[in-house]
Amino acid sequence: MDMKNVIIIGGGPAGMSAALTLGRTHHTVLLADSDDGRNAPAEAMHNFLTHEGTSPAALRELGRENLTAYPHVEVRSVMVDSVRRLTDEHFEATLADGTVVESRRLLLATGLRDEMPPVSGAAELWGKSAFHCPYCHGYEVTGKNVAVLGTGGERVRLALQLSRFATDTVLCTGGEPLEPTLQNVLETNDVTVRPEPVTELVSETGQLRHIAFEGGATLERDAVFIKTVLHQRAPFAQLLGCAMFPDASVEVNEFAQTSVPGVYAAGDMARRATVPAPMAAVIAAAASGTVAGAIIDQDLLSAEFKLPNPFVSGRV
């Protein structure tokens, strides 16, 4: 039986950063990656110092290249079929090729999956001219005509934020009512509200051309910000019994620990109770992986030398 100190499931920025930290501290690591990242449709990443404008595929390739310097880290492009906890310090993962690997600790970094809103054309534009994060893609709409789909305080905040650098910003409520106070804030700040139901996002070669409304009216736009429904990309956190939030995020503390001893989670799949929504930024995912790797190292150090674990008190 192949025994590792740590199995990491998910080879995006969080998983690779954790593997790097653990590899540099001479831990045996299996990084299992399905090669299916959440941001794969995006042409470029932004707000990542030294990697501004790098494609997600290029970052993944460079990260894997970095990991080859550490002989204790094994990277495999393979799906994980199942995971089970044998004891607090003993886990077993079965890979899609039938290989069974055991480990002392487990890090989940499988990320989230975006379910598109029920608007025709949204999927074709995703990552090209339909976005969700103003920090990842907001600057790129500077001087352009932008729409925000949805209603409620969070969508109003986004429309106002984008209005600071877009030439023209419109909030499309999709036929849903908007509180008068929120509508007044928008109108006072030159953000137009379109209340009609949206029927289609019309595009040409991946570029949004106009928004079609019920009744036949259209609105020419260069980009649209949509709200997706988030789902865990893999079922492992739930199957292991990790505490989760209603928005599908795995609950962790400041040390990336889940509610299950020995199981850690990093990247956009996990968040702390004090954070209202998952952080979607690539650089934030990478940072969370580094933290998780360091805490796992300290956890194993405490176990190996029978030392008090200074991070136990922070468990969820």
mmCIF file of all heavy atoms in Angstrom, residues 53-70:
data_model
loop_
_atom_site.group_PDB
_atom_site.id
_atom_site.type_symbol
_atom_site.label_atom_id
_atom_site.label_comp_id
_atom_site.label_asym_id
_atom_site.label_seq_id
_atom_site.Cartn_x
_atom_site.Cartn_y
_atom_site.Cartn_z
ATOM 1 N N GLY A 53 -2.383 38.932 -16.283
ATOM 2 C CA GLY A 53 -2.635 38.606 -17.675
ATOM 3 C C GLY A 53 -2.243 37.202 -18.092
ATOM 4 O O GLY A 53 -2.475 36.812 -19.240
ATOM 5 N N THR A 54 -1.672 36.428 -17.166
ATOM 6 C CA THR A 54 -1.310 35.042 -17.472
ATOM 7 C C THR A 54 -2.572 34.196 -17.635
ATOM 8 O O THR A 54 -3.541 34.378 -16.899
ATOM 9 C CB THR A 54 -0.434 34.457 -16.344
ATOM 10 O OG1 THR A 54 0.743 35.244 -16.211
ATOM 11 C CG2 THR A 54 -0.041 33.015 -16.643
ATOM 12 N N SER A 55 -2.567 33.263 -18.551
ATOM 13 C CA SER A 55 -3.725 32.393 -18.710
ATOM 14 C C SER A 55 -3.751 31.357 -17.585
ATOM 15 O O SER A 55 -2.700 30.970 -17.055
ATOM 16 C CB SER A 55 -3.692 31.676 -20.055
ATOM 17 O OG SER A 55 -2.676 30.682 -20.064
ATOM 18 N N PRO A 56 -4.930 30.887 -17.192
ATOM 19 C CA PRO A 56 -5.009 29.844 -16.166
ATOM 20 C C PRO A 56 -4.204 28.595 -16.536
ATOM 21 O O PRO A 56 -3.558 27.986 -15.678
ATOM 22 C CB PRO A 56 -6.506 29.541 -16.088
ATOM 23 C CG PRO A 56 -7.171 30.815 -16.511
ATOM 24 C CD PRO A 56 -6.276 31.369 -17.573
ATOM 25 N N ALA A 57 -4.230 28.214 -17.811
ATOM 26 C CA ALA A 57 -3.483 27.027 -18.240
ATOM 27 C C ALA A 57 -1.983 27.221 -18.074
ATOM 28 O O ALA A 57 -1.258 26.308 -17.648
ATOM 29 C CB ALA A 57 -3.822 26.697 -19.693
ATOM 30 N N ALA A 58 -1.501 28.423 -18.386
ATOM 31 C CA ALA A 58 -0.074 28.699 -18.260
ATOM 32 C C ALA A 58 0.366 28.672 -16.795
ATOM 33 O O ALA A 58 1.457 28.183 -16.474
ATOM 34 C CB ALA A 58 0.259 30.049 -18.890
ATOM 35 N N LEU A 59 -0.477 29.197 -15.907
ATOM 36 C CA LEU A 59 -0.132 29.178 -14.478
ATOM 37 C C LEU A 59 -0.077 27.737 -13.963
ATOM 38 O O LEU A 59 0.835 27.371 -13.220
ATOM 39 C CB LEU A 59 -1.149 29.972 -13.670
ATOM 40 C CG LEU A 59 -0.837 30.043 -12.168
ATOM 41 C CD1 LEU A 59 0.353 30.943 -11.907
ATOM 42 C CD2 LEU A 59 -2.037 30.520 -11.371
ATOM 43 N N ARG A 60 -1.027 26.925 -14.377
ATOM 44 C CA ARG A 60 -1.033 25.520 -13.947
ATOM 45 C C ARG A 60 0.222 24.805 -14.454
ATOM 46 O O ARG A 60 0.852 24.033 -13.715
ATOM 47 C CB ARG A 60 -2.294 24.830 -14.466
ATOM 48 C CG ARG A 60 -2.510 23.427 -13.938
ATOM 49 C CD ARG A 60 -3.821 22.873 -14.467
ATOM 50 N NE ARG A 60 -4.956 23.561 -13.887
ATOM 51 C CZ ARG A 60 -5.747 23.036 -12.940
ATOM 52 N NH1 ARG A 60 -5.490 21.830 -12.487
ATOM 53 N NH2 ARG A 60 -6.760 23.712 -12.473
ATOM 54 N N GLU A 61 0.592 25.058 -15.693
ATOM 55 C CA GLU A 61 1.790 24.432 -16.258
ATOM 56 C C GLU A 61 3.044 24.870 -15.510
ATOM 57 O O GLU A 61 3.920 24.053 -15.183
ATOM 58 C CB GLU A 61 1.905 24.784 -17.743
ATOM 59 C CG GLU A 61 3.091 24.145 -18.445
ATOM 60 C CD GLU A 61 3.152 24.496 -19.920
ATOM 61 O OE1 GLU A 61 2.193 25.113 -20.430
ATOM 62 O OE2 GLU A 61 4.160 24.158 -20.558
ATOM 63 N N LEU A 62 3.139 26.169 -15.208
ATOM 64 C CA LEU A 62 4.299 26.674 -14.490
ATOM 65 C C LEU A 62 4.348 26.116 -13.067
ATOM 66 O O LEU A 62 5.425 25.764 -12.557
ATOM 67 C CB LEU A 62 4.262 28.205 -14.452
ATOM 68 C CG LEU A 62 5.415 28.905 -13.730
ATOM 69 C CD1 LEU A 62 6.749 28.532 -14.358
ATOM 70 C CD2 LEU A 62 5.219 30.423 -13.745
ATOM 71 N N GLY A 63 3.182 26.025 -12.417
ATOM 72 C CA GLY A 63 3.140 25.478 -11.073
ATOM 73 C C GLY A 63 3.618 24.041 -11.033
ATOM 74 O O GLY A 63 4.397 23.647 -10.146
ATOM 75 N N ARG A 64 3.177 23.242 -11.982
ATOM 76 C CA ARG A 64 3.622 21.846 -12.031
ATOM 77 C C ARG A 64 5.121 21.761 -12.288
ATOM 78 O O ARG A 64 5.811 20.896 -11.741
ATOM 79 C CB ARG A 64 2.847 21.097 -13.106
ATOM 80 C CG ARG A 64 1.415 20.793 -12.734
ATOM 81 C CD ARG A 64 0.840 19.748 -13.643
ATOM 82 N NE ARG A 64 -0.486 19.330 -13.226
ATOM 83 C CZ ARG A 64 -1.125 18.287 -13.729
ATOM 84 N NH1 ARG A 64 -0.538 17.561 -14.673
ATOM 85 N NH2 ARG A 64 -2.323 17.961 -13.312
ATOM 86 N N GLU A 65 5.617 22.646 -13.140
ATOM 87 C CA GLU A 65 7.056 22.672 -13.404
ATOM 88 C C GLU A 65 7.825 22.991 -12.122
ATOM 89 O O GLU A 65 8.865 22.376 -11.836
ATOM 90 C CB GLU A 65 7.364 23.709 -14.491
ATOM 91 C CG GLU A 65 8.827 23.793 -14.867
ATOM 92 C CD GLU A 65 9.081 24.867 -15.905
ATOM 93 O OE1 GLU A 65 8.193 25.087 -16.752
ATOM 94 O OE2 GLU A 65 10.146 25.502 -15.857
ATOM 95 N N ASN A 66 7.331 23.948 -11.331
ATOM 96 C CA ASN A 66 7.976 24.279 -10.059
ATOM 97 C C ASN A 66 8.026 23.067 -9.130
ATOM 98 O O ASN A 66 9.011 22.855 -8.418
ATOM 99 C CB ASN A 66 7.227 25.399 -9.361
ATOM 100 C CG ASN A 66 7.375 26.758 -10.027
ATOM 101 O OD1 ASN A 66 6.635 27.685 -9.723
ATOM 102 N ND2 ASN A 66 8.321 26.902 -10.957
ATOM 103 N N LEU A 67 6.960 22.279 -9.121
ATOM 104 C CA LEU A 67 6.870 21.144 -8.197
ATOM 105 C C LEU A 67 7.829 20.020 -8.556
ATOM 106 O O LEU A 67 8.158 19.191 -7.702
ATOM 107 C CB LEU A 67 5.439 20.617 -8.150
ATOM 108 C CG LEU A 67 4.403 21.544 -7.494
ATOM 109 C CD1 LEU A 67 3.004 20.958 -7.621
ATOM 110 C CD2 LEU A 67 4.739 21.809 -6.029
ATOM 111 N N THR A 68 8.307 19.967 -9.804
ATOM 112 C CA THR A 68 9.236 18.899 -10.191
ATOM 113 C C THR A 68 10.565 18.995 -9.448
ATOM 114 O O THR A 68 11.321 18.018 -9.402
ATOM 115 C CB THR A 68 9.510 18.921 -11.705
ATOM 116 O OG1 THR A 68 10.109 20.186 -12.063
ATOM 117 C CG2 THR A 68 8.227 18.726 -12.497
ATOM 118 N N ALA A 69 10.868 20.137 -8.865
ATOM 119 C CA ALA A 69 12.116 20.306 -8.109
ATOM 120 C C ALA A 69 12.081 19.580 -6.768
ATOM 121 O O ALA A 69 13.123 19.452 -6.113
ATOM 122 C CB ALA A 69 12.394 21.789 -7.899
ATOM 123 N N TYR A 70 10.905 19.087 -6.360
ATOM 124 C CA TYR A 70 10.750 18.491 -5.026
ATOM 125 C C TYR A 70 10.386 17.018 -5.173
ATOM 126 O O TYR A 70 9.241 16.678 -5.489
ATOM 127 C CB TYR A 70 9.711 19.275 -4.227
ATOM 128 C CG TYR A 70 10.123 20.721 -4.104
ATOM 129 C CD1 TYR A 70 9.645 21.690 -5.000
ATOM 130 C CD2 TYR A 70 11.065 21.120 -3.155
ATOM 131 C CE1 TYR A 70 10.080 23.006 -4.928
ATOM 132 C CE2 TYR A 70 11.502 22.426 -3.084
ATOM 133 C CZ TYR A 70 11.009 23.364 -3.970
ATOM 134 O OH TYR A 70 11.454 24.659 -3.899
#
